[in-house]
Every structure is written in C-alpha cells, then in structure tokens.
Amino acid sequence: SKIEELFSELDKGIEQLKTAQQQLKTYRQSVLKWAFEGRLTNENVKDGELPEGWMFKTIGEIFEVYVGSTPKRNKPEYWNGDINWVSSGEIAFSNITTTKEKITEAGLNNTSCKIHPIGTVIIAMIGEGKTRGQAAILKIAASHNQNTAAIRVDKSKYLSELLYYYFVYKYEENRRIGSGNNQKALNKERVKNIKIPIIPLEEQKQIVQEIESRLSVADKMEESITQSLQQAEVLRQSILKKAFEGRLV
C-alpha cells in the first residue's frame, strides 16, 4: 500500500515534468517564429506582413552553395590526413568544432571536395531519420560529403547564426521539400531555392542576441528537468529498496 501511494505521487511529478518539457519545446519554436516574423525587434508588425526593410530571397540568389564528395575508401592514401571532413551524421543542429574523419591533400585533389571557411553553414540533404534538414555551423575549416550542402555565408551581409536558426525554425518544412517518391532527399537546387528573410545587418545582430538569450534560459530549464527525471528513477529504486529492507513503514 505504501509503495503504491509513493509511486502514485512520483508518477504525478514525472507527468508534470514531461508536460513542462513539451511546453519548452513549444516555447522554443515560438521564439523562432516571433524572431522571423520580426516581432522580437519590431513593436508593431501586422499579421502576414514583413517589417520595414525586410524581404525574401532564395539562398541561391545571395550565397554560393556547394555539394561535397567522399574520397574513395579503397585508397588509404586519401584518408587520415589533416583536412577536416564532415559526414552527414555529424550535422545535428550544432557547431562543428572537430570531425570524426580527416582526409589528405591527395583525397582532396582527387575528388570534388572543397575546404570551406569558418562560418559556413552546412545542411544535411539525405536521410529518412532525423538527419535530413538538420544544419550546423563550421567553427573550423572543413570539407564535407556528398549528402550535405555547404552554404558559404558572406558575414558582411548575413550572420551564419541567423541562417542556422532559420534552418532550425524551418526544419519540418525543409524535410517536406525533400520528400521524394523513391529516396527522401534534398538536393543542391532545392537548397538554393529555399527562401530566407533578408534583414538589415544591425537588426540581424539584435535578433540573434534575442534568440540566444531566450533559448539559453530554456536550455537551463531543460537541463534541470532532465536531472529531476533521472532523480525520480533513482527515488523509485530507493523506495523499493527501503520496502524490502523493512524500512518503508
């Protein structure tokens, strides 16, 4: 009876924590929605209208887009060099500061691989799981495989972080763009045709600051909830241990 009473209370607490987790997910998406509707930096934006000075253009109109390549695996002289090489599995809404594999100069020169500078945004084009549509920012110079597209961002016109957050915001939509009949994939042309908001540079900086400030708070709360859920499972075991040591009642 005591076990069931305590487990019932514990389950209610876990349910509330999971509800809070879901609310945080909704909040994050709302922050991005407000940001790209201009509501974080403009007081009076009417529904369906863009703030003054904003417009939409395609990625291909303003950036160079590159598809990567994979050196032949049966050529050991192409691998284990000192050139960073990103695989699609490493594109997971994150900053890329290191790569699992590296290629050599020979591997670079005998493929269509190119080395992209820090600040390049990479989007995964292939995959039916979570991978397709995810993005990352290069924090190191790197090349990449053919399942990913590299977008070289001119920092005098656009912030890499803003493009990255736009991909986070449009993740589900971009996945639908890549839903083909045979293999679910984006391709170079589809990536180039994705429309993004063109925003004055100073306002871009404000938007990124606002997004990061709000998402940072959400991340801390998420961390706290995750710890509490782990503690709940430990507590469940503790209740059972006490019960069968005769110390619960």
Side-chain angles (χ1 to χ4, degrees):
S1 177
K2 188 68 176 172
I3 288 171
E4 288 180 352
E5 179 194 328
L6 293 172
F7 273 16
S8 175
E9 286 176 23
L10 195 56
D11 289 339
K12 279 178 194 168
I14 289 169
E15 193 179 327
Q16 287 170 344
L17 288 167
K18 287 183 175 176
T19 300
Q21 247 178 352
Q22 194 57 43
Q23 287 169 337
L24 277 177
K25 189 178 176 183
T26 305
Y27 172 72
R28 283 193 185 95
Q29 197 61 12
S30 295
V31 167
L32 295 173
K33 184 173 185 288
W34 298 332
F36 292 108
E37 286 177 353
R39 294 175 193 274
L40 289 185
T41 45
N42 296 273
E43 286 181 11
N44 302 309
V45 181
K46 293 178 182 175
D47 287 342
E49 290 186 13
L50 286 175
E52 192 178 338
W54 288 37
M55 67 179 79
F56 273 95
K57 285 191 176 181
T58 64
I59 283 174
E61 284 180 273
I62 49 174
F63 302 128
E64 287 292 330
V65 178
Y66 300 83
V67 173
S69 180
T70 301
K72 288 181 178 176
R73 293 281 181 184
N74 61 358
K75 298 272 190 181
E77 64 270 27
Y78 291 174
W79 295 91
N80 300 314
D82 55 7
I83 298 167
N84 296 308
W85 183 83
V86 181
S87 69
S88 46
E90 294 172 271
I91 312 296
F93 288 132
S94 60
N95 291 325
I96 291 179
T97 55
T98 183
T99 59
K100 290 175 185 171
E101 294 182 284
K102 294 180 190 289
I103 60 173
T104 61
E105 283 286 342
L108 183 75
N109 296 333
N110 287 282
T111 62
S112 56
C113 278
K114 285 184 171 56
I115 299 173
H116 299 290
I118 290 169
T120 299
V121 176
I122 299 188
I123 183 169
M125 299 191 294
I126 308 285
E128 290 191 43
K130 290 180 181 178
T131 305
R132 186 176 80 257
Q134 291 207 31
I137 303 175
L138 288 184
K139 295 296 181 180
I140 48 171
S143 56
H144 58 110
N145 77 3
Q146 68 280 4
N147 295 336
T148 57
I151 303 158
R152 286 194 184 177
V153 181
D154 180 349
K155 64 182 179 183
S156 68
K157 295 177 184 172
Y158 216 91
L159 298 182
S160 302
E161 291 81 5
L162 192 71
L163 181 59
Y164 167 82
Y165 283 123
Y166 192 70
F167 281 143
V168 176
Y169 173 49
K170 291 289 184 179
Y171 172 61
E172 293 297 341
E173 193 174 309
N174 288 338
R175 283 177 64 76
R176 284 195 294 275
I177 293 169
S179 294
N181 291 328
N182 300 323
Q183 188 176 23
K184 294 183 183 295
L186 291 162
N187 57 35
K188 185 177 180 177
E189 283 311 306
R190 284 173 173 173
V191 171
K192 285 174 76 174
N193 285 328
I194 293 171
K195 287 186 176 179
I196 61 169
I198 306 303
I199 303 164
L201 193 60
E202 281 308 309
E203 196 173 346
Q204 288 184 43
K205 291 173 186 174
Q206 270 183 283
I207 291 168
V208 168
Q209 209 170 19
E210 291 286 347
I211 289 172
E212 290 183 343
S213 167
R214 285 165 164 79
L215 295 190
S216 170
V217 173
D219 288 344
K220 282 175 185 167
M221 290 174 73
E222 178 88 43
E223 200 177 307
S224 176
I225 289 168
T226 301
Q227 285 174 353
S228 296
L229 285 168
Q230 289 167 349
Q231 286 165 354
E233 288 313 308
V234 172
L235 186 55
R236 197 183 296 277
Q237 285 303 310
S238 174
I239 289 166
L240 291 172
K241 185 172 184 290
K242 282 184 179 177
F244 293 107
E245 285 175 352
R247 295 190 293 126
L248 195 61
V249 287

